[in-house]
Amino acid sequence: MKKLIECVPNFSEGNDMHIIDQITDAMKTVEGISVIDVDPGKATNRTVVTMVGEPEPICEAAFRAVKKAAELIDMTKHKGAHPRFGATDVCPLVPVSNITMEETVEYARKLAERIGKELNIPVYCYESAAFVPERRNLATCRAGEYEALGERLSSEQWHPDFGPRELNSWTAKTGATAVGARNFLVAYNVNLNTTSTRRANSIAFDVRERGRVKREGNPITGKKVLDEKGKPVMIPGSLKSVKAIGWFIEEYGIAQISMNLTDISVTSMHEAFDEVCRKAADRGIRVTGSELVGVLPLKAMLDAGRYFLRKQQRSTGVSDKELIKIAVKSLGLDELYPFDPKKKIIEYILEEEASKGKKKLVDMTLTDFADETASESPAPGGGSISAYMGALGAALGSMVANLSSHKRGWDDRWEEFSDWAEKGKVYQTELIKLVDEDTNAFNKIMDAFSLPKKSEEEKAARQKAVQDATRYATEVPFKTMKQCYECMSVAKAMAEIGNPNSVTDAGVGALAARAGVMGAFLNVKINAAGLEDKEFAAQIIREGEAIVEKANELEAEILKIVNSKI
């Protein structure tokens, strides 16, 4: 699974598209990143760019963009409505999938240090990347904006974390940059069956973390209650990490609750939706749907689908496509306009871009896949077929679990079977990926053999590439073996406790998975034979033989259970 982070740099230029294009072009020179949104604002004189990719390429693209912005933008001439203090004003890194906040902080700090050292730009680390609590808040780091920068750079308390501590001709031009690490922010609006902005605002104040001003007597017209410092006392709302306001959208003729979910690990989209539904109902207002502004991680949509299925006491071990459909319909994300997952979900956007011009086996029809396998090309071959057999075995196990979860009379066991279906789905997903990965591994070997070998250096580089590719082509089917064997546990459980009417499906699932083990092991052996590292080759063969033995024993157990129930 790839580690993905989002980077959302803000540049202090929103009018000159020639400058903006040069900055985004600098990002695009880095392979492995996708620029998915460029949003220039004329009044703010600011452009917000969103890019996604693996951490190293993202940090390189961010660095190149900061460098280009420093060359093209002169902060001594900048004017705009948005607070700012640098050509690249802010550059937050956001964990998207398979990466922790702690890891993201490390990348942010390394990027900040590099900008400071190599570009001589003052850099402040904020949010989770801050070195001291006082600098977590961006507004605090940027206090006084560009106009106060000269005084702050040289001060003992507010000097930058990296880069120069003085305002010279260069830093006066570039200003400072804030590099941070923060959680994913989702811009999310909930639609109401009212045109009243005031009523929408009341619901927004009910749910947002900041809440509403406390008043004496009448909660609307009463006198504000002030604290000892003369500031209004607030009554907190019901949702943490949520900012919200009510407004009227003339285009659609409805009022909305416009929310920023600043940390979806604290308050998710589906939790925010349900809470707005409750608070709206308390005020006699009905939620009719919702709207996602921008993009979000796949996990957020899958979590929403599972949440609504659990509320129905239905199995969550279904396909991602089905989970997304449930989420869209439950949240009403298609009320105002069609919701296209390929344009709204980060991982799908990246996948779409990466697959342009490429033919994936798993996207073929069954007939096309069979025809491709039968062609003169050596790939796809036995390794891909083994992975696909395992995926089908896992799918059958999930099918029996899903059928069992809503069997009449077994309603109280839906969660037990849902858990098994989820396990089967995990194995199926991994094995489906291995269908194409096995072919990719074979292609790596072919690519390595095609490298030049005229000089001694070229021969050595070619030999190393061949060995690296061969090792990888050995590891991939070994991984297939393990996944195929492990997914047999779902088939066994379903044979034992699942819907008895589907017991033979569990048996066929075990047969398919065990065939996947055996087929993948053949590929392990033939590829290991070409390895110079004989110790590794012997070890992986021994481990493979152990898996084969356990798979044979488990298949016999499962078939014995199946036959006893037929």
Side-chain angles (χ1 to χ4, degrees):
M1 299 289 286
K2 288 183 178 179
K3 293 181 177 182
L4 292 179
I5 61 174
E6 178 187 62
C7 182
V8 194
N10 290 212
F11 303 101
S12 295
E13 176 56 64
N15 295 282
D16 190 333
M17 287 307 299
H18 181 60
I19 290 177
I20 295 166
D21 287 344
Q22 287 184 75
I23 294 171
T24 54
D25 285 346
M27 296 176 181
K28 294 173 184 176
T29 59
V30 179
E31 288 188 17
I33 68 108
S34 295
V35 176
I36 60 177
D37 190 51
V38 180
D39 185 12
K42 291 184 181 294
T44 57
N45 198 14
R46 185 182 186 87
T47 297
V48 180
V49 180
T50 304
M51 59 176 167
V52 182
E54 293 186 72
E56 294 288 354
I58 280 289
C59 289
E60 178 61 33
F63 178 82
R64 294 185 191 183
V66 172
K67 182 179 181 181
K68 183 59 69 174
E71 295 169 1
L72 300 175
I73 298 171
D74 187 348
M75 288 304 295
T76 64
K77 301 174 182 177
H78 184 272
K79 294 187 185 303
H82 198 286
R84 80 287 180 266
F85 70 168
T88 301
D89 191 54
V90 296
C91 186
L93 302 184
V94 184
V96 173
S97 60
N98 306 310
I99 186 169
T100 65
M101 177 56 75
E102 290 72 21
E103 291 174 285
T104 307
V105 165
E106 289 302 310
Y107 281 110
R109 289 176 176 173
K110 286 178 183 176
L111 173 62
E113 183 177 14
R114 188 181 176 198
I115 292 169
K117 283 184 176 179
E118 296 185 30
L119 302 181
N120 287 314
I121 294 173
V123 183
Y124 291 85
C125 292
Y126 75 104
E127 284 276 355
S128 294
F131 289 98
V132 291
E134 294 78 21
R135 298 194 177 195
R136 286 186 68 91
N137 189 302
L138 173 62
T140 305
C141 293
R142 197 169 52 192
E145 299 183 43
Y146 174 77
E147 288 71 20
L149 200 55
E151 179 184 341
R152 287 169 72 84
L153 287 181
S154 58
S155 73
E156 190 60 35
Q157 183 181 3
W158 289 107
H159 63 74
D161 292 301
F162 300 104
R165 298 184 180 185
E166 62 178 359
L167 198 66
N168 52 39
S169 59
W170 173 249
T171 55
K173 179 179 182 293
T174 66
T177 296
V179 176
R182 62 166 172 79
N183 279 300
F184 198 91
L185 184 149
V186 172
Y188 179 60
N189 303 330
V190 178
N191 312 327
L192 306 173
N193 70 334
T194 183
T195 59
S196 172
T197 301
R198 183 168 66 83
R199 287 170 174 78
N201 255 323
S202 294
I203 299 167
F205 295 163
D206 287 341
V207 300
R208 70 182 187 181
E209 182 172 13
R210 186 165 181 263
R212 56 165 39 83
V213 174
K214 186 176 183 179
R215 297 178 182 271
E216 296 177 0
N218 190 300
I220 298 174
T221 61
K223 184 180 177 181
K224 293 180 181 179
V225 177
L226 306 178
D227 62 17
E228 63 275 8
K229 295 181 180 178
K231 293 183 178 180
V233 175
M234 304 299 293
I235 303 172
S238 56
L239 296 176
K240 298 289 187 184
S241 301
V242 172
K243 299 176 181 178
I245 192 171
W247 60 23
F248 176 73
I249 305 297
E250 193 168 337
E251 182 182 357
Y252 303 120
I254 59 168
Q256 285 183 324
I257 309 297
S258 175
M259 293 186 284
N260 275 346
L261 310 179
T262 60
D263 187 345
I264 54 176
S265 68
V266 175
T267 296
S268 64
M269 184 170 60
H270 52 271
E271 289 169 332
F273 177 82
D274 264 8
E275 182 65 6
V276 170
C277 287
R278 284 188 286 268
K279 297 300 184 183
D282 290 344
R283 296 177 179 274
I285 293 172
R286 183 173 173 268
V287 168
T288 61
S290 63
E291 175 188 26
L292 175 66
V293 182
V295 298
L296 84 172
L298 174 61
K299 183 178 182 297
M301 287 297 288
L302 300 182
D303 286 348
R306 294 187 188 102
Y307 171 79
F308 289 110
L309 283 174
R310 288 190 188 103
K311 289 184 74 172
Q312 301 171 32
Q313 296 192 343
R314 290 185 58 200
S315 173
T316 57
V318 295
S319 68
D320 288 359
K321 183 179 180 181
E322 183 68 14
L323 287 173
I324 291 168
K325 184 178 83 171
I326 292 292
V328 170
K329 291 302 178 186
S330 301
L331 296 166
L333 285 168
D334 55 357
E335 183 197 7
L336 301 180
Y337 43 81
F339 182 92
D340 186 350
K342 291 182 179 179
K343 294 179 180 178
K344 287 293 187 180
I345 296 173
I346 290 172
E347 288 87 341
Y348 291 174
I349 294 170
L350 297 178
E351 192 174 290
E352 187 83 357
E353 289 192 11
S355 63
K356 285 178 181 176
K358 295 180 181 179
K359 183 171 62 174
K360 290 177 68 177
L361 296 173
V362 294
D363 291 334
M364 293 180 177
T365 65
L366 289 174
T367 301
D368 289 342
F369 186 25
D371 288 345
E372 183 73 14
T373 303
S375 70
E376 293 177 347
S377 170
S384 292
I385 299 301
S386 297
Y388 193 49
M389 286 192 292
L392 291 176
L396 279 168
S398 288
M399 183 196 82
V400 178
N402 283 322
L403 288 170
S404 303
S405 73
H406 62 255
K407 184 181 185 306
R408 187 184 295 275
W410 287 15
D411 293 343
D412 60 335
R413 300 180 65 189
W414 74 269
E415 200 162 8
E416 172 191 1
F417 290 114
S418 176
D419 289 343
W420 279 110
E422 281 266 17
K423 288 178 183 178
K425 182 194 170 188
V426 170
Y427 294 126
Q428 177 189 333
T429 301
E430 289 303 310
L431 285 161
I432 284 290
K433 290 176 186 173
L434 288 165
V435 171
D436 273 291
E437 199 53 42
D438 194 90
T439 297
N440 293 339
F442 174 80
N443 290 335
K444 284 180 188 291
I445 294 177
M446 295 296 100
D447 291 343
F449 275 115
S450 67
L451 292 173
K453 52 178 180 178
K454 293 180 181 178
S455 68
E456 290 303 316
E457 285 186 358
E458 286 180 343
K459 287 179 182 178
R462 179 179 180 272
Q463 183 59 18
K464 183 179 185 305
V466 168
Q467 284 298 305
D468 288 346
T470 303
R471 181 173 179 133
Y472 185 65
T474 306
E475 291 171 336
V476 170
F478 182 72
K479 187 174 180 181
T480 298
M481 286 185 72
K482 291 174 70 175
Q483 293 290 317
C484 286
Y485 166 67
E486 288 171 10
C487 83
M488 292 174 72
S489 63
V490 181
K492 182 183 180 185
M494 292 307 97
E496 289 175 327
I497 64 172
N499 189 329
N501 295 326
S502 301
V503 69
T504 53
D505 296 305
V508 173
L511 290 168
R514 183 260 181 185
V517 171
M518 302 302 293
F521 188 46
L522 293 177
N523 280 264
V524 170
K525 289 193 290 185
I526 196 168
N527 290 323
L531 287 172
E532 292 176 353
D533 186 346
K534 298 305 178 184
E535 185 178 340
F536 171 78
Q539 179 185 339
I540 204 166
I541 294 294
R542 283 195 302 272
E543 291 180 12
E545 287 172 341
I547 292 172
V548 166
E549 185 178 348
K550 289 189 289 186
N552 285 333
E553 291 173 357
L554 186 53
E555 180 196 52
E557 287 180 45
I558 295 168
L559 292 180
K560 184 177 180 180
I561 296 167
V562 171
N563 284 312
S564 71
K565 294 187 176 184
I566 296 176

